[in-house]
Amino acid sequence: MLDTEAVDTRPTKIMYVAEATAHGGRNGYVTSQDGHIDLKVAMPPALGGDGTGTNPEQLFAAGYSSCFHNALVLVGRREGYDLTGSTVSAKVGIGPNAQRGYGLAVALSVSLPVLDQDIASKLVDAAHQVCPYSNATRGNIDVTIVLG
């Protein structure tokens, strides 16, 4: 029987809080409270902009790929595997949804060149359960993971 109960993935303890501020929306800039981020933001040409800055989808792709890669290394280490040389790339798409708003879709490409396909697949599945981005998006954003 299929278990239809939702799994609670909320944190039981907050260990770190990131803080960023947007100025001017998609045609402005973003800064982080600690000063490490100070970026111009611009609409990409595909959405009618000039593309002269980064955009929220690129920032989301960077965050998701680095977070998922860290989760992958963590589960690999727990299982006794060295994931040196592994990479995770993310593509984040944006488009209109049925509620007259916009939605996202994510495609993660995972490279584990030193592991056989079965082991790599098990580690990717485990990382998808551990990664906070995967937990936050599960059920409301289509996430496709390709192992190659």
Side-chain angles (χ1 to χ4, degrees):
M1 182 159 87
L2 183 63
D3 182 10
T4 58
E5 264 188 62
V7 175
D8 186 355
T9 60
R10 293 175 296 177
T12 57
K13 175 184 174 185
I14 300 296
M15 298 168 57
Y16 169 74
V17 174
E19 185 178 338
T21 303
H23 311 263
R26 285 182 170 270
N27 287 306
Y29 63 99
V30 292
T31 59
S32 62
Q33 172 274 334
D34 63 5
H36 290 294
I37 296 174
D38 188 352
L39 299 170
K40 180 179 179 184
V41 181
M43 294 277 278
L47 297 179
D50 62 15
T52 60
T54 191
N55 59 67
E57 293 72 35
Q58 288 174 326
L59 295 171
F60 190 80
Y64 201 160
S65 63
S66 63
C67 191
F68 193 91
H69 193 226
N70 196 70
L72 189 61
V73 169
L74 174 72
V75 298
R77 189 178 322 123
R78 286 179 181 168
E79 297 295 322
Y81 297 103
D82 178 9
L83 301 187
T84 300
S86 62
T87 61
V88 175
S89 298
K91 293 181 181 180
V92 175
I94 184 171
N97 64 23
Q99 286 73 42
R100 298 178 52 127
Y102 290 86
L104 300 174
V106 175
L108 298 175
S109 297
V110 180
S111 174
L112 294 165
V114 299
L115 296 179
D116 89 4
Q117 194 74 10
D118 289 339
I119 292 169
S121 181
K122 288 178 185 171
L123 293 179
V124 166
D125 289 345
H128 195 42
Q129 298 306 309
V130 170
C131 176
Y133 276 68
S134 292
N135 287 330
T137 60
R138 189 171 289 113
N140 55 42
I141 293 179
D142 287 336
V143 176
T144 304
I145 303 175
V146 177
L147 182 58

